[in-house]
Amino acid sequence: MRFSAFSIFKEALGGNRGWKPQWRDPAPKPHYDVIIVGGGGHGLATAYYLAKEFGIANVAVLEKSWLGSGNIGRNTTIIRSNYMLPGNEPFYELSMKLWEGLEQDFNFNAMISQRGVINLFHSDGQRDTYARRGNSALLEGADAELLNPGQLKEIAPFLNFNHARFPIFGGLMQRRGGTARHDAVAWGYGRGADMRGIDIIQNCDVTGIIRKNGLVTGVETSKGTIGCNRLALATAGHSTITANMADLRLPIESHVLQAFVSEGLKPAIDNVITFGMGHFYISQSDKGGLVFGGDIDGYNSYARRGGLYTVEHVFETGLSMIPGLSRSKVLRTWGGVMDMSMDGSPIIDKTPVPNLYLNTGWCYGGFKATPASGFTFAHLIAKNEPHPVTRQMRLDRFERGYSIDEGGKGPQPNLH
Ligand SMILES: Cc1cc2nc3c(=O)[nH]c(=O)nc-3n(C[C@H](O)[C@H](O)[C@H](O)COP(=O)(O)OP(=O)(O)OC[C@H]3O[C@@H](n4cnc5c(N)ncnc54)[C@H](O)[C@@H]3O)c2cc1C
């Protein structure tokens, strides 16, 4: 069923009783060309592009819970491509271009809103750093603009410009950045993959990887054994567990990241705004809730909830940036399990285990990467060679000394 203004009007007249489920609920077949483990944003996008771009549709996505139950449905929905390093920026700019055509491409309303992302800076030195980052983005064809305090005051008068410790000197703006409705992205990719014949199998926990003479030949699951020619892991915060099933130890740690939403307020914050003297980012959803977050909790965990000390830390940082926040009430908080790599950048690569492909290391930033991650991971699986924009996102870069340290902060998850 295609979505259009006409179909919505027709269904409204019929009491909206004609809508059908947007994807099937198939039983697993004994064997697939490709199995993707993980029905999050990246697994579903990979399946979609495998079928659409590379004509490989004998594919199953195995998800241990329900479609979109992981980080894809738990993030703060920010999309942007204002990265700096050559190992990252072309990839994120490809993602931004895919975002810009995504709703038409998969015929689903993902509420993509290019409302602009502003990174605040608070000193002359930080202005220089941000100018450099903006220039790097411009060189890769992305957009970037330095705003002075006067321009910023017109856009966001509620900011704490004269903070005693963190006065605001301006902001780096990417106008094409913004937000997208996270779970609609999962639904859109899932529906698009299903329409092309891919089996999305929910409640199917992968418990083991089967190998013959070293080669991956299938998986053990809670729904039985399923064979495959190629196996792709897109399990985000659980990557170390699934890779361990093939005796692979990854340079990844799992950490909890919390997010917060306030009660619904009148429109106040038009853009996504991030603080430059601490980790804090905020936007306002279409329902009026202020959506915000900060740092990871800082200890390894698979729990999707965090500690109160991080709540306090995030609120303190937020109030430094927008004192008026103290008058809004927080409605909900939640957490997600993050796949933190040691340099803060992702891994999209083959593994030393034949027929096993890996997609992980998304840290704070995997939602914005979803389209390019799916596209380039599908390219890797289909052609058995990396897409040009992921050439540096290799698994062995840590042992070779070629890390992509985007933040320039060193090799620890709590620094990224
Ligand atoms: C609070 C929070 C805020 C964030 N904010 C942003 C943001 O604003 N912008 C941004 O770009 N990024 C953000 N992120 C990061 C982003 O959400 C993630 O990097 C991205 O969603 C990870 O990829 P995914 O969607 O495939 O992961 P997931 O949705 O987590 O998908 C992985 C799936 O694998 C499944 N799985 C795991 N093990 C198995 C198994 N053994 N068998 C079968 N299935 C399995 C899981 O159930 C899960 O559904 C945020 C993350 C969090 C937690």
Side-chain angles (χ1 to χ4, degrees), residues 231-245:
L231 181 64
L233 303 179
T235 47
H238 292 80
S239 296
T240 51
I241 297 179
T242 49
N244 195 33
M245 293 173 191

Side-chain angles (χ1 to χ4, degrees), residues 40 64 83 94 100 114 121-122 137 152 206 216-217 226 242 255 260 265 302 307-308 323 351 371 385 405:
K64 71 174 175 181
Y83 282 68
L94 170 66
E100 285 170 333
Q114 292 182 288
F121 50 81
H122 308 263
L152 205 50
V206 172
V216 171
T217 56
I226 312 174
T242 49
H255 285 259
F260 308 84
L265 301 170
Y302 293 107
L308 279 174
T351 71
E385 62 184 49
D405 187 1

